[in-house]
Amino acid sequence: MLGNAIYNIGIRSYRAGVGLAAATGNAKAKLWIDGRRHWRERMKEHLKGTGPLIWVHAASLGEFEQGRPVLEAIRAQYPHCRILLTFYSPSGYEVRKNYQGADYVYYLPLDTARNARDFLDIVRPGLVIFIKYEFWYHFLTALSQRQIPVLLISGIFRPDQLFFKPYGGMFRRLLRQFDWIFVQNQDSLDLIRQLGIEKAGLAGDTRFDRVFALLQEPVDLPAIDTFINGRKAVIAGSTWEADEQVLAEWWKDNAKPDRCLILAPHEIHESHIKQVQSLFPGAVRYSAGGQGDVLIIDNIGLLSLLYRYARVTFIGGGFGKDGIHNILEPATYSKPVLFGPVFHKYPEAAALLAAGGGATIADVSALTTEMESLLEDDARWKKTGDAAGRLVADNKGATGKILSYIQEKRFFTKA
């Protein structure tokens, strides 16, 4: 089949490109390659436990956090089941390779027919859950051939995706191989129904459940308390260079004694941290301690907890082609959320704007207007933050719908 041949060429070319990048010093590519070495031998040795196994796959860290409520609910509901968690990207695996909610954590092997066959021979899952965007041809085909049930959770579909192109027949067939597709919104459901996909339903976005649960997590960050010291804190999370430049322009003219700025860059390698320091002279690093007006978070894992300390939050990515990062984490703490103009792939952003829980900014002038209003006008700050918090509270519940389906179908999971 021509589509299959083109797909295989693309996969092999991608592997060659990653290998070349790794050989020329790209650290992320090297992790991608090294993490998959001898995966068959390692998995054969490691996956020797007894009991049914559920395989959960996430592309990267964001998708993992999206599916995490479901994974943890399954762990609580079916403690006799083993859980295998796989990642495609190093940015997910390297952060969560020691995640205690799964029995095994691995990289997903490259999507070839042989890899898919060998992987399933070793893992022998009773249920498979893919999160949001993952549609690997050989893995899904092999799962379908073996009649292993597969769910897609928190799926989201847009008209510009391959499924809806005249040449997307191969990928449309993949959708029919899922036993059930749980989508985030009605638009997604309408789109795939137009393709004749009937095994699908509206569940909502499991991220709302994940971020709502953050409110119950105990937090003790004395270094952050000490740094803020009663000031109005602006917390900017997952920022990229373009975000940082806009923030620096605003801060240069609007820094005040009763304010502080905390930046958590998306990339925390040394060269980027130094670049951020050059934009904010006098900024201190979290790892080094110390006081000042600007704090740079130079480690991973704090961000979702930091937002509760904010007066106003800014989410990065909105000045890049891929768009904004997680706006729901600050929203769950009832904090106003600001972000750049590239957000149209993210329905939660449109919902937040419609609810009045934040604003999108196109440049330094717009950022200054919004920041100054939210920092100085207590009534507007409270109204905006309350709207953000209500959006999260009103949209939680997707995890319960997915668990109800698993319980109803029972699959292999009946205790």
Side-chain angles (χ1 to χ4, degrees):
M1 191 165 63
L2 179 60
N4 191 355
I6 294 172
Y7 180 84
N8 288 335
I9 291 170
I11 287 289
R12 298 294 185 185
S13 299
Y14 178 84
R15 169 60 179 82
V18 174
L20 179 61
T24 55
N26 184 292
K28 190 172 182 179
K30 189 174 188 304
L31 288 171
W32 194 99
I33 295 293
D34 290 347
R36 289 170 167 82
R37 293 189 191 280
H38 310 299
W39 64 266
R40 292 176 178 82
E41 293 80 3
R42 290 188 288 115
M43 293 187 80
K44 285 177 182 178
E45 177 62 26
H46 195 192
L47 274 67
K48 287 184 175 179
T50 59
L53 186 141
I54 300 172
W55 168 28
V56 180
H57 176 67
S60 191
L61 186 60
E63 289 77 14
F64 164 76
E65 292 295 336
Q66 189 153 33
R68 184 172 176 173
V70 174
L71 193 156
E72 294 180 352
I74 288 172
R75 170 66 90 194
Q77 186 74 27
Y78 303 107
H80 65 291
C81 291
R82 297 173 295 148
I83 296 176
L84 165 67
L85 172 64
T86 60
F87 288 98
Y88 187 76
S89 168
S91 60
Y93 176 83
E94 296 301 327
V95 175
R96 294 301 180 192
K97 59 187 175 184
N98 296 316
Y99 173 61
Q100 297 300 304
D103 298 282
Y104 323 102
V105 184
Y106 277 89
Y107 278 100
L108 183 72
L110 190 71
D111 185 35
T112 67
R114 182 192 172 197
N115 283 353
R117 181 185 67 245
D118 292 351
F119 180 90
L120 294 180
D121 285 345
I122 296 167
V123 174
R124 303 177 66 84
L127 173 65
V128 179
I129 299 173
F130 283 13
I131 302 168
K132 192 176 181 177
Y133 282 141
E134 292 295 87
F135 304 101
W136 295 112
Y137 173 79
H138 291 295
F139 279 101
L140 285 172
T141 300
L143 287 165
S144 177
Q145 290 170 346
R146 299 180 187 215
Q147 298 184 319
I148 297 171
V150 187
L151 310 180
L152 180 72
I153 65 171
S154 288
I156 192 159
F157 296 91
R158 300 182 305 274
D160 60 349
Q161 291 172 314
L162 276 171
F163 312 107
F164 310 104
K165 303 293 186 182
Y167 48 83
M170 172 176 153
F171 292 94
R172 287 191 286 273
R173 287 190 291 274
L174 290 183
L175 293 181
R176 296 186 177 92
Q177 292 175 352
F178 284 96
D179 287 75
W180 197 262
I181 297 173
F182 292 95
V183 297
Q184 293 185 32
N185 55 38
Q186 187 64 45
D187 288 346
S188 293
L189 186 60
D190 292 343
L191 275 171
I192 60 173
R193 286 274 170 82
Q194 292 172 15
L195 301 179
I197 306 297
E198 296 298 327
K199 295 185 293 184
L202 177 61
D205 188 344
T206 51
R207 282 180 303 172
F208 286 100
D209 299 319
R210 170 58 187 155
V211 299
F212 189 78
L214 292 172
L215 294 173
Q216 282 71 53
E217 291 188 8
V219 174
D220 183 21
L221 298 175
I224 299 299
D225 277 319
T226 300
F227 178 82
I228 293 175
N229 194 28
R231 295 177 291 182
K232 297 174 182 176
V234 174
I235 296 183
S238 299
T239 57
W240 294 86
E241 181 179 353
D243 304 299
E244 291 147 7
Q245 290 174 346
V246 171
L247 287 163
E249 286 295 312
W250 163 72
W251 184 251
K252 181 177 65 176
D253 296 327
N254 295 281
K256 294 181 180 181
D258 68 340
R259 299 177 179 179
C260 63
L261 174 63
I262 299 177
L263 290 140
H266 185 74
E267 299 284 352
I268 60 169
H269 52 77
E270 185 65 18
S271 63
H272 185 67
I273 295 297
K274 287 182 176 179
Q275 184 178 6
V276 176
Q277 287 180 304
S278 71
L279 289 171
F280 298 91
V284 298
R285 297 189 186 199
Y286 180 80
S287 61
Q291 284 299 109
D293 297 326
V294 179
L295 178 67
I296 302 171
I297 305 299
D298 53 358
N299 64 7
I300 293 174
L302 281 182
L303 185 55
S304 64
L305 306 178
L306 282 177
Y307 289 127
R308 69 182 67 206
Y309 293 90
R311 165 84 176 200
V312 182
T313 66
F314 178 96
I315 303 304
F319 289 94
K321 64 178 183 178
D322 294 326
I324 56 173
H325 291 277
N326 193 335
I327 65 169
L328 297 181
E329 287 180 346
T332 198
Y333 298 115
S334 297
K335 306 298 183 180
V337 187
L338 304 180
F339 46 87
V342 182
F343 64 87
H344 301 289
K345 291 182 179 180
Y346 303 89
E348 69 275 13
L352 184 77
L353 295 175
T360 180
I361 55 101
D363 50 31
V364 176
S365 176
L367 178 63
T368 300
T369 299
E370 292 295 338
M371 279 289 192
E372 295 309 303
S373 174
L374 292 167
L375 287 168
E376 300 300 330
D377 185 340
D378 287 345
R380 188 190 171 216
W381 165 72
K382 186 176 189 309
K383 180 179 179 181
T384 305
D386 287 348
R390 279 197 306 273
L391 176 74
V392 175
D394 290 347
N395 283 279
K396 60 185 174 60
T399 299
K401 295 175 183 178
I402 294 166
L403 261 289
S404 293
Y405 177 88
I406 292 173
Q407 291 165 356
E408 175 189 344
K409 295 297 181 182
R410 295 190 178 265
F411 296 120
F412 66 98
T413 53
K414 184 175 180 181

